[in-house]
Amino acid sequence: DAGVIQSPRHEVTEMGQEVTLRCKPISGHDYLFWYRQTMMRGLELLIYFNNNVPIDDSGMPEDRFSAKMPNASFSTLKIQPSEPRDSAVYFCASSLTGTKYTQYFGPGTRLTVL
Amino acid sequence: GEDVEQSLFLSVREGDSSVINCTYTDSSSTYLYWYKQEPGAGLQLLTYIFSNMDMKQDQRLTVLLNKKDKHLSLRIADTQTGDSAIYFCAEKTGGYQKVTFGTGTKLQVIP
């Protein structure tokens, strides 16, 4: 299996621009999670989906952030407009019901907003 | 509520044992985990323990769970430079598949 795939791996953008991060979960997994990791705040859960339906988005920082999962094999996290404080590593993870809640993480997208 | 705390940094010499500690607050935790994050990579499951167990051993890794004190530890025997990474404690509570991660402990192994 290819594991969780994220793209791009690195993104550098200017303040005010729209940023779209992409994730392909492991085939057959029914849960998908988006996390953000920074030195200051550590690993934060932003939102998670079950069978493509958002279950909990209470971690999404503000309205500038939105996430979608149009089908079981694809999800996006969009930031519009981006700000320098959004600079972080964004991880996508997936899991499968009945497997002891083990989450499989992608390699992350390092976002830098100038 | 759910809160998982760890010390931020641990430094050990190669060949020594490392012990990484974690405290959690939710007594209803069913599973507790240790994840490892190597530089530039995502988190990877290292091991887990079910809440009705006190100890689990897997090669160089020993997990100890003290439910009374809500304390979890990870012992790495004969620590190697390849063990240098950030180690996250995590707990599973409540419904769905959500897992709460700790702050992470950066392990530095000195040759």
Side-chain angles (χ1 to χ4, degrees):
Chain A
D1 200 320
V4 176
I5 299 172
Q6 291 187 248
S7 65
R9 291 295 312 276
H10 302 273
E11 177 82 33
V12 180
T13 190
E14 292 188 346
M15 183 174 64
Q17 296 297 305
E18 177 180 297
V19 174
T20 299
L21 312 181
R22 297 173 175 80
C23 174
K24 177 179 168 56
I26 292 173
S27 177
H29 281 194
D30 56 346
Y31 279 83
L32 184 139
F33 304 81
W34 281 102
Y35 292 89
R36 177 172 69 176
Q37 186 178 35
T38 60
M39 290 289 290
M40 292 297 294
R41 293 186 298 270
L43 191 67
E44 302 173 276
L45 174 64
L46 301 177
I47 184 171
Y48 71 98
F49 296 83
N50 175 220
N51 292 323
N52 315 337
V53 176
I55 301 300
D56 183 354
D57 65 354
S58 59
M60 296 285 263
E62 49 199 271
D63 293 345
R64 296 185 298 107
F65 286 68
S66 63
K68 294 182 180 179
M69 192 164 186
N71 57 63
S73 58
F74 184 67
S75 176
T76 59
L77 179 67
K78 187 176 292 186
I79 308 172
Q80 165 65 10
S82 58
E83 296 182 4
R85 60 193 168 121
D86 301 330
S87 296
V89 180
Y90 291 81
F91 289 103
C92 175
S94 70
S95 68
L96 176 64
T97 300
T99 59
K100 300 180 177 61
Y101 313 101
T102 300
Q103 294 188 15
Y104 295 84
F105 282 73
T109 296
R110 180 173 293 277
L111 173 65
T112 303
V113 183
L114 302 174
Chain B
E2 303 160 359
D3 195 14
V4 183
E5 294 189 356
Q6 306 175 234
S7 54
L8 290 179
F9 189 76
L10 176 66
S11 179
V12 298
R13 293 207 172 273
E14 190 175 17
D16 288 350
S17 292
S18 307
V19 180
I20 303 171
N21 295 301
C22 165
T23 57
Y24 59 97
T25 55
D26 194 329
S27 57
S28 66
S29 295
T30 53
Y31 285 93
L32 295 120
Y33 310 84
W34 286 102
Y35 280 77
K36 177 183 181 182
Q37 183 183 25
E38 296 185 351
L43 281 69
Q44 185 174 16
L45 179 69
L46 205 54
T47 187
Y48 68 91
I49 188 168
F50 191 55
S51 58
N52 67 353
M53 299 169 64
D54 298 324
M55 185 182 84
K56 180 178 181 181
Q57 189 150 3
D58 184 2
Q59 299 182 331
R60 293 190 298 120
L61 305 178
T62 303
V63 179
L64 294 177
L65 174 61
N66 182 330
K67 285 198 72 175
K68 175 176 171 291
D69 295 337
K70 296 181 191 147
H71 183 265
L72 183 74
S73 68
L74 173 69
R75 178 177 181 270
I76 305 172
D78 186 25
T79 311
Q80 303 297 307
T81 54
D83 295 324
S84 294
I86 302 175
Y87 291 81
F88 289 87
C89 170
E91 64 171 340
K92 170 71 187 81
T93 61
Y96 294 106
Q97 295 271 82
K98 181 182 174 182
V99 171
T100 300
F101 287 88
T103 50
T105 299
K106 185 172 184 178
L107 174 65
Q108 179 187 48
V109 182
I110 304 167

